[in-house]
Amino acid sequence: MSERYYGTGRRKEATARVWLEDGEGTLVVNKQPLDEYFGRKVDRIVALQALELVGKRASVNLKVNVSGGGKSGQAGAIRHGITRALMEMDPELRGTLKKAGFV
């Protein structure tokens, strides 16, 4: 089994627990595909900004549990959780993620 990395993200009233592992780009939020969970495209874009920035969108699998707040806050919390998991996976990504304002 591949190694898993964990990150907790928070924004407003929302909290996201993110598990990241090497894979083929599967994204599951609260046991639903990301596209089904977030109806608005802008929420999907916000949630995945950190992955897109470092070019890992298609090479990792995500499992996310998110609660509290509204969908917009949840998307921001997921982005924060993904950022923390990516930094755990590769500490050298911190500078890139910080410069983008995700840390």
mmCIF file of all heavy atoms in Angstrom, residues 34 38-49 71-72 74-76 79:
data_model
loop_
_atom_site.group_PDB
_atom_site.id
_atom_site.type_symbol
_atom_site.label_atom_id
_atom_site.label_comp_id
_atom_site.label_asym_id
_atom_site.label_seq_id
_atom_site.Cartn_x
_atom_site.Cartn_y
_atom_site.Cartn_z
ATOM 1 N N LEU A 34 -16.041 14.398 -6.141
ATOM 2 C CA LEU A 34 -15.927 15.844 -5.966
ATOM 3 C C LEU A 34 -16.948 16.606 -6.815
ATOM 4 O O LEU A 34 -17.584 17.544 -6.344
ATOM 5 C CB LEU A 34 -14.511 16.311 -6.323
ATOM 6 C CG LEU A 34 -14.268 17.809 -6.198
ATOM 7 C CD1 LEU A 34 -13.877 18.162 -4.780
ATOM 8 C CD2 LEU A 34 -13.201 18.268 -7.162
ATOM 9 N N PHE A 38 -19.705 19.185 -4.953
ATOM 10 C CA PHE A 38 -19.732 20.627 -5.223
ATOM 11 C C PHE A 38 -20.450 20.878 -6.536
ATOM 12 O O PHE A 38 -19.935 20.577 -7.605
ATOM 13 C CB PHE A 38 -18.310 21.203 -5.310
ATOM 14 C CG PHE A 38 -17.623 21.308 -3.972
ATOM 15 C CD1 PHE A 38 -16.474 20.581 -3.727
ATOM 16 C CD2 PHE A 38 -18.112 22.139 -2.979
ATOM 17 C CE1 PHE A 38 -15.832 20.676 -2.503
ATOM 18 C CE2 PHE A 38 -17.479 22.237 -1.749
ATOM 19 C CZ PHE A 38 -16.332 21.505 -1.514
ATOM 20 N N GLY A 39 -21.647 21.452 -6.464
ATOM 21 C CA GLY A 39 -22.407 21.757 -7.666
ATOM 22 C C GLY A 39 -21.809 22.914 -8.454
ATOM 23 O O GLY A 39 -21.856 22.934 -9.680
ATOM 24 N N ARG A 40 -21.235 23.891 -7.746
ATOM 25 C CA ARG A 40 -20.674 25.070 -8.419
ATOM 26 C C ARG A 40 -19.236 24.810 -8.850
ATOM 27 O O ARG A 40 -18.421 24.334 -8.077
ATOM 28 C CB ARG A 40 -20.695 26.272 -7.466
ATOM 29 C CG ARG A 40 -22.091 26.733 -7.124
ATOM 30 C CD ARG A 40 -22.100 27.881 -6.141
ATOM 31 N NE ARG A 40 -21.089 28.873 -6.488
ATOM 32 C CZ ARG A 40 -20.547 29.698 -5.605
ATOM 33 N NH1 ARG A 40 -20.879 29.646 -4.342
ATOM 34 N NH2 ARG A 40 -19.650 30.588 -5.993
ATOM 35 N N LYS A 41 -18.953 25.160 -10.082
ATOM 36 C CA LYS A 41 -17.612 24.948 -10.631
ATOM 37 C C LYS A 41 -16.561 25.727 -9.844
ATOM 38 O O LYS A 41 -15.457 25.247 -9.615
ATOM 39 C CB LYS A 41 -17.580 25.354 -12.103
ATOM 40 C CG LYS A 41 -16.260 25.050 -12.768
ATOM 41 C CD LYS A 41 -16.285 25.355 -14.252
ATOM 42 C CE LYS A 41 -14.952 24.997 -14.860
ATOM 43 N NZ LYS A 41 -14.901 25.260 -16.284
ATOM 44 N N VAL A 42 -16.895 26.932 -9.388
ATOM 45 C CA VAL A 42 -15.928 27.759 -8.670
ATOM 46 C C VAL A 42 -15.485 27.076 -7.373
ATOM 47 O O VAL A 42 -14.314 27.166 -6.987
ATOM 48 C CB VAL A 42 -16.480 29.184 -8.413
ATOM 49 C CG1 VAL A 42 -17.609 29.172 -7.398
ATOM 50 C CG2 VAL A 42 -15.382 30.100 -7.954
ATOM 51 N N ASP A 43 -16.377 26.356 -6.702
ATOM 52 C CA ASP A 43 -16.005 25.634 -5.482
ATOM 53 C C ASP A 43 -15.040 24.496 -5.790
ATOM 54 O O ASP A 43 -14.097 24.248 -5.039
ATOM 55 C CB ASP A 43 -17.251 25.096 -4.765
ATOM 56 C CG ASP A 43 -18.111 26.205 -4.184
ATOM 57 O OD1 ASP A 43 -17.566 27.286 -3.888
ATOM 58 O OD2 ASP A 43 -19.332 25.989 -4.023
ATOM 59 N N ARG A 44 -15.272 23.812 -6.912
ATOM 60 C CA ARG A 44 -14.349 22.732 -7.311
ATOM 61 C C ARG A 44 -12.971 23.305 -7.629
ATOM 62 O O ARG A 44 -11.942 22.724 -7.260
ATOM 63 C CB ARG A 44 -14.901 21.985 -8.526
ATOM 64 C CG ARG A 44 -16.164 21.203 -8.229
ATOM 65 C CD ARG A 44 -16.550 20.267 -9.358
ATOM 66 N NE ARG A 44 -16.918 20.939 -10.590
ATOM 67 C CZ ARG A 44 -18.166 21.224 -10.942
ATOM 68 N NH1 ARG A 44 -19.175 20.904 -10.157
ATOM 69 N NH2 ARG A 44 -18.415 21.813 -12.082
ATOM 70 N N ILE A 45 -12.936 24.445 -8.307
ATOM 71 C CA ILE A 45 -11.666 25.076 -8.671
ATOM 72 C C ILE A 45 -10.901 25.486 -7.417
ATOM 73 O O ILE A 45 -9.704 25.211 -7.289
ATOM 74 C CB ILE A 45 -11.907 26.290 -9.595
ATOM 75 C CG1 ILE A 45 -12.400 25.809 -10.958
ATOM 76 C CG2 ILE A 45 -10.647 27.137 -9.731
ATOM 77 C CD1 ILE A 45 -12.904 26.921 -11.862
ATOM 78 N N VAL A 46 -11.590 26.131 -6.467
ATOM 79 C CA VAL A 46 -10.943 26.569 -5.220
ATOM 80 C C VAL A 46 -10.386 25.371 -4.467
ATOM 81 O O VAL A 46 -9.244 25.394 -3.992
ATOM 82 C CB VAL A 46 -11.942 27.366 -4.334
ATOM 83 C CG1 VAL A 46 -11.389 27.551 -2.932
ATOM 84 C CG2 VAL A 46 -12.250 28.700 -4.968
ATOM 85 N N ALA A 47 -11.174 24.308 -4.348
ATOM 86 C CA ALA A 47 -10.750 23.135 -3.589
ATOM 87 C C ALA A 47 -9.471 22.519 -4.158
ATOM 88 O O ALA A 47 -8.624 22.015 -3.412
ATOM 89 C CB ALA A 47 -11.868 22.093 -3.559
ATOM 90 N N LEU A 48 -9.287 22.584 -5.467
ATOM 91 C CA LEU A 48 -8.161 21.906 -6.112
ATOM 92 C C LEU A 48 -7.001 22.828 -6.483
ATOM 93 O O LEU A 48 -6.036 22.371 -7.105
ATOM 94 C CB LEU A 48 -8.655 21.173 -7.364
ATOM 95 C CG LEU A 48 -9.706 20.088 -7.105
ATOM 96 C CD1 LEU A 48 -10.169 19.481 -8.409
ATOM 97 C CD2 LEU A 48 -9.172 19.024 -6.171
ATOM 98 N N GLN A 49 -7.057 24.109 -6.094
ATOM 99 C CA GLN A 49 -6.014 25.051 -6.484
ATOM 100 C C GLN A 49 -4.612 24.596 -6.094
ATOM 101 O O GLN A 49 -3.679 24.726 -6.876
ATOM 102 C CB GLN A 49 -6.293 26.427 -5.871
ATOM 103 C CG GLN A 49 -7.294 27.230 -6.647
ATOM 104 C CD GLN A 49 -7.572 28.567 -5.994
ATOM 105 O OE1 GLN A 49 -7.620 28.680 -4.773
ATOM 106 N NE2 GLN A 49 -7.762 29.581 -6.806
ATOM 107 N N LYS A 71 -20.806 25.638 1.499
ATOM 108 C CA LYS A 71 -19.974 25.000 0.466
ATOM 109 C C LYS A 71 -18.716 25.812 0.150
ATOM 110 O O LYS A 71 -17.645 25.252 -0.062
ATOM 111 C CB LYS A 71 -20.780 24.786 -0.819
ATOM 112 C CG LYS A 71 -21.913 23.806 -0.675
ATOM 113 C CD LYS A 71 -21.434 22.377 -0.578
ATOM 114 C CE LYS A 71 -22.630 21.442 -0.545
ATOM 115 N NZ LYS A 71 -22.288 20.054 -0.587
ATOM 116 N N SER A 72 -18.821 27.129 0.131
ATOM 117 C CA SER A 72 -17.664 27.961 -0.170
ATOM 118 C C SER A 72 -16.580 27.823 0.907
ATOM 119 O O SER A 72 -15.404 27.670 0.605
ATOM 120 C CB SER A 72 -18.097 29.422 -0.302
ATOM 121 O OG SER A 72 -16.985 30.247 -0.530
ATOM 122 N N GLN A 74 -16.263 25.297 2.901
ATOM 123 C CA GLN A 74 -15.767 23.923 2.827
ATOM 124 C C GLN A 74 -14.721 23.784 1.732
ATOM 125 O O GLN A 74 -13.711 23.100 1.914
ATOM 126 C CB GLN A 74 -16.922 22.950 2.602
ATOM 127 C CG GLN A 74 -17.803 22.797 3.812
ATOM 128 C CD GLN A 74 -18.921 21.792 3.617
ATOM 129 O OE1 GLN A 74 -19.126 21.266 2.517
ATOM 130 N NE2 GLN A 74 -19.661 21.515 4.679
ATOM 131 N N ALA A 75 -14.939 24.438 0.595
ATOM 132 C CA ALA A 75 -13.960 24.384 -0.497
ATOM 133 C C ALA A 75 -12.628 24.986 -0.031
ATOM 134 O O ALA A 75 -11.558 24.436 -0.299
ATOM 135 C CB ALA A 75 -14.478 25.120 -1.722
ATOM 136 N N GLY A 76 -12.683 26.104 0.674
ATOM 137 C CA GLY A 76 -11.468 26.725 1.201
ATOM 138 C C GLY A 76 -10.782 25.853 2.234
ATOM 139 O O GLY A 76 -9.550 25.765 2.273
ATOM 140 N N ARG A 79 -8.948 23.104 0.394
ATOM 141 C CA ARG A 79 -7.700 23.626 -0.167
ATOM 142 C C ARG A 79 -6.620 23.714 0.906
ATOM 143 O O ARG A 79 -5.477 23.332 0.674
ATOM 144 C CB ARG A 79 -7.929 24.996 -0.794
ATOM 145 C CG ARG A 79 -6.646 25.587 -1.380
ATOM 146 C CD ARG A 79 -6.858 26.918 -2.034
ATOM 147 N NE ARG A 79 -7.192 27.924 -1.040
ATOM 148 C CZ ARG A 79 -7.613 29.150 -1.335
ATOM 149 N NH1 ARG A 79 -7.777 29.520 -2.581
ATOM 150 N NH2 ARG A 79 -7.885 30.002 -0.375
#
